[in-house]
Amino acid sequence: QRRARGVGRVHQIAQLGHWEADAASGEMIWSAEVAGLLAVPGRPSPTIEDYLAAVHADDAPNLRNAIDAAVASGRPFALDHRLREPAAADRFVHTRADVNQEGGRPTRLVGTIQDVTERVESQHKIRFLAFYDSLTNLPNRRLFTEILARLVERARRQRSLVAVLFMDLDNFKRVNDTYGHATGDKLLKVVGERLSQTVRRDDILARPLGEPENAVSRLGGDEFVVAFGGLAHAEDAARLAARMLEEIKAPMRIDKTELSVSASVGISLFPHDGDNEETLLANADAALYCAKDGGRNCVHFFDRSMNEAALQRQLLEGELRRSVARGEFVLHYQPQVDIATGRIRSAEALIRWRHADLGLVQPGDFLGAAEQTGLIHPIGEWVLGEVVRQIQEWRAKGLPRIHVAINISPQEFRRPDLAAAMAGILGDAGLGPDALELEITEATLMDNVSIATGVLARLKAHGFRIALDDFGVRASSLSTLKQWPIDVLKIDRAFIRNIATDTADAAIAGSIISLARNLRVEPVAEGVEKAMQRDALAALGCVRMQGFLFGRPEPAEAFEQRLAASARAAAPVVARMR
């Protein structure tokens, strides 16, 4: 009796119940542990039907089939399944049974039932970590690739289309930098929910060819990807992408902050753009890159010419990374002249890439890739250090004390420590902030006016001169412009090119010059290549100019000679030309 009580206690602790069932009649006997797990009232003569009645409705057919198969074959079975409410539908049990036989005929089932909820939950957690994104609960790349492979295989049999839509949020880094990563994570969760809802609402796109299938996944960061199977036309994918962009653009309330973001989408199609999941993903990614290059907030389908462009981009990025370590960059300096005195007032530092095979590469051919890869930060640091060193050298030689303009990229501009870091570098070199002029494009400032206003205020607090570059390309409001503490307004070359022959360009340039003077800001014309352009600008009241007419960008040694000659032979440029 003590042994029996001990065994019963072990079964109770292990939540293990045992039972027996007559193979012919289905009558059962079961222990108290079985009754407790099944949460059924005590019955004098329970049956297999009573047992099955306590099993979750979705799992009961599987258990019935397992029992019938065991009786028919004489082989044992084991099965995990859920229990029916109120026995607790979220609990899992493990039912197993052996078959007793007499004369080769099954006569009795002898089995056990055990609560295995913790084991099943652990397995689910392991699977979740392996196949799902922990932030959004969406499938990760590994599971998405498996789902996409199944969609492709089914589409191959059905001769239908599969669309892969690769989506990336535009300027998501700005959200993290401005509001913090916690807010950024919450925004990503909302985006995932909206994408899932959008795809479910657009299931109708797939229905003409059978059962709709789709998957929304987060690959990492702000990258999401959607696979849609059973499509009849490429236009269906375009409509879904447009719907996704509309949903993402709708304002999102994150805590007490209302955020608005946009996204770009690249699309690849099976079988046109690839016959396997890896190729389709890669080609959708290439199309996304083109969508971002095309101005963002747009959709772009893949075409095969992108493969060559993508390969060239990868090669360029690899070369660019190595060039940073090798020190292959060089600065050229272009003068900015005061035509009233003939003196060089300042210089703009312009970076060049001294490539072993390609020669001197212009910034327009590599700065975009530097922005995309994050290499713009070490490049920008090198530019600042080199300009500071050069200014020190020129001053040590007794050359005129000019300031040098450097371009601040959008990524650099968003650095919260930009002003303090630059002031520290100048201070260590014994230079004041007036040695530099920071050129920031109008587009960079207009991307987020509130952030731009704060950054400009910090730069001015450290004493830096600010030049608004490419003015006139973007439509700044006058109320915004007057809030910015800028010192220089650079007139975009687009309005200079035909200023001597086009009355509209002359009127625009004149308006910008008048606006600058009214705001007590100095106007500077860039891209001046002809004497007639210079004279037209001078007549409008602009005296500080930059362009090939006054000097092309040139290495530091050549610019140094130009600067010395300018100091010796200074005279009003317009008067001398007459």
Side-chain angles (χ1 to χ4, degrees):
Q1 288 180 340
R2 284 198 302 272
R3 184 175 182 276
R5 285 197 298 271
V7 171
R9 179 60 177 162
V10 170
H11 286 180
Q12 188 177 35
I13 293 173
Q15 299 188 65
L16 178 67
H18 61 274
W19 54 266
E20 295 183 18
D22 186 278
S25 67
E27 293 181 353
M28 298 183 71
I29 57 173
W30 59 41
S31 66
E33 287 77 21
V34 174
L37 285 171
L38 299 182
V40 296
R43 298 179 185 274
S45 53
T47 65
I48 288 177
E49 294 301 323
D50 294 325
Y51 194 104
L52 290 169
V55 176
H56 193 284
D58 292 341
D59 296 346
N62 293 334
L63 181 57
R64 181 184 295 276
N65 291 337
I67 293 173
D68 291 346
V71 171
S73 65
R75 290 193 293 269
F77 75 85
L79 183 71
D80 287 347
H81 59 83
R82 292 165 292 173
L83 298 177
R84 183 189 296 271
E85 295 180 2
D90 59 343
R91 290 177 63 190
F92 284 82
V93 295
H94 180 73
T95 295
R96 61 172 297 127
D98 293 319
V99 183
N100 291 344
Q101 302 186 51
E102 292 182 6
R105 184 173 60 84
T107 58
R108 199 160 192 79
L109 297 174
V110 179
T112 60
I113 179 174
Q114 184 176 21
D115 190 323
V116 292
T117 302
E118 290 187 5
R119 172 175 65 78
V120 172
E121 287 181 345
S122 296
Q123 291 173 342
H124 286 174
K125 288 179 181 178
I126 292 171
R127 175 175 172 77
F128 180 84
L129 292 174
F131 291 102
Y132 290 86
D133 171 53
S134 60
L135 177 65
T136 63
N137 293 339
L138 294 173
N140 60 15
R141 179 185 289 269
R142 180 178 177 183
L143 179 55
F144 177 83
T145 302
E146 293 182 8
I147 296 171
L148 179 57
R150 292 198 294 271
L151 291 178
V152 167
E153 186 56 37
R154 175 168 295 184
R156 186 177 282 114
R157 295 195 304 269
Q158 296 177 341
R159 298 182 181 277
S160 60
L161 301 178
V162 175
V164 176
L165 293 80
F166 208 127
M167 192 199 82
D168 180 279
L169 298 181
D170 298 330
N171 300 315
F172 175 70
K173 185 177 182 297
R174 185 185 306 153
V175 175
N176 281 335
D177 292 345
T178 305
Y179 302 103
H181 287 273
T183 297
D185 286 348
K186 291 177 181 178
L187 184 143
L188 291 174
K189 291 176 69 174
V190 174
V191 168
E193 292 167 0
R194 289 190 178 183
L195 287 178
S196 298
Q197 293 167 3
T198 301
V199 169
R200 282 196 293 271
R201 284 199 299 273
D202 282 55
D203 273 349
I204 189 67
L205 292 175
R207 289 177 185 165
L209 289 177
E211 185 68 20
E213 288 190 349
N214 57 69
V216 180
S217 171
R218 179 182 176 227
L219 300 189
D222 60 329
E223 292 181 340
F224 294 83
V225 63
V226 176
F228 222 97
L231 298 180
H233 307 287
E235 292 79 4
D236 295 337
R239 285 200 295 271
L240 176 60
R243 177 69 175 167
M244 288 165 51
L245 293 187
E246 285 301 314
E247 289 292 327
I248 297 304
K249 283 169 60 178
M252 305 179 192
R253 193 75 182 177
I254 308 295
D255 296 329
K256 296 181 180 180
T257 303
E258 186 173 282
L259 299 177
S260 295
V261 296
S262 63
S264 302
V265 177
I267 301 177
S268 65
L269 296 170
F270 168 86
H272 310 306
D273 304 324
D275 62 356
N276 60 71
E277 58 276 14
E278 291 86 0
T279 303
L280 289 169
L281 263 175
N283 290 343
D285 189 16
L288 170 64
Y289 189 91
C290 288
K292 285 191 168 295
D293 271 1
R296 304 175 187 268
N297 189 33
C298 62
V299 178
H300 206 295
F301 277 88
F302 174 80
D303 67 66
R304 300 199 177 278
S305 65
M306 293 179 191
N307 278 328
E308 180 64 25
L311 178 60
Q312 292 300 322
R313 186 172 69 249
Q314 290 175 357
L315 292 174
L316 175 65
E317 290 174 3
E319 288 287 319
L320 201 52
R321 290 184 185 279
R322 289 187 287 273
S323 71
V324 174
R326 293 172 181 169
E328 294 179 348
F329 296 109
V330 64
L331 289 181
H332 285 188
Y333 296 86
Q334 185 173 30
Q336 294 179 356
V337 175
D338 185 333
I339 64 169
T341 65
R343 290 183 181 276
I344 294 176
R345 283 274 306 277
S346 58
E348 181 177 0
L350 299 164
I351 192 169
R352 303 289 186 265
W353 180 9
R354 199 163 39 201
H355 193 279
D357 299 321
L358 302 177
L360 208 59
V361 183
Q362 299 297 309
D365 295 328
F366 67 86
L367 286 184
E371 286 273 358
Q372 290 285 336
T373 58
L375 290 172
I376 197 67
H377 293 299
I379 292 174
E381 291 172 0
W382 177 85
V383 169
L384 177 60
E386 180 62 16
V387 166
V388 167
R389 184 199 65 77
Q390 191 62 67
I391 293 174
Q392 285 179 306
E393 182 178 317
W394 287 339
R395 292 189 178 183
K397 293 180 177 180
L399 292 169
R401 296 169 67 91
I402 63 170
H403 59 261
V404 176
I406 61 173
N407 292 278
I408 304 298
S409 75
Q411 283 194 26
E412 291 176 295
F413 183 74
R414 290 193 291 270
R415 281 183 53 182
D417 63 339
L418 175 66
M422 294 182 71
I425 292 172
L426 286 166
D428 291 343
L431 298 174
D434 60 332
L436 294 181
E437 185 171 276
L438 308 182
E439 292 196 3
I440 304 162
T441 65
E442 183 183 13
T444 297
L445 300 184
M446 288 301 296
D447 275 347
N448 193 310
V449 173
S450 60
I451 293 177
T453 302
V455 175
L456 291 176
R458 289 193 292 273
L459 290 170
K460 288 303 294 182
H462 281 83
F464 287 105
R465 288 173 53 86
I466 308 295
L468 183 58
D469 198 10
D470 298 339
F471 183 74
V473 176
R474 292 283 295 269
S476 305
S477 69
L478 295 179
S479 60
T480 301
L481 186 60
K482 73 177 184 179
Q483 294 177 15
W484 289 335
I486 59 176
D487 302 285
V488 173
L489 204 60
K490 295 193 75 175
I491 309 168
D492 187 74
R493 66 184 67 244
F495 305 115
I496 306 300
R497 188 175 301 113
N498 299 316
I499 190 172
T501 57
D502 190 313
T503 55
D505 283 347
I508 293 173
S511 297
I512 295 174
I513 293 167
S514 297
L515 174 65
R517 296 201 178 281
N518 289 333
L519 293 174
R520 295 185 173 84
V521 172
E522 184 178 12
V524 175
E526 57 181 348
V528 181
E529 299 180 357
K530 301 175 182 179
M532 64 176 65
Q533 296 170 335
R534 178 204 62 207
D535 295 343
L537 287 163
L540 293 171
C542 181
V543 297
R544 184 174 161 196
M545 304 181 194
Q546 175 183 348
F548 290 173
L549 180 64
F550 309 104
R552 293 176 177 269
E554 55 193 355
E557 297 79 7
F559 180 81
E560 180 180 314
Q561 296 176 11
R562 182 185 296 274
L563 182 59
S566 168
R568 291 193 300 268
V573 175
V574 176
R576 187 168 65 239
M577 293 299 294
R578 292 172 183 166

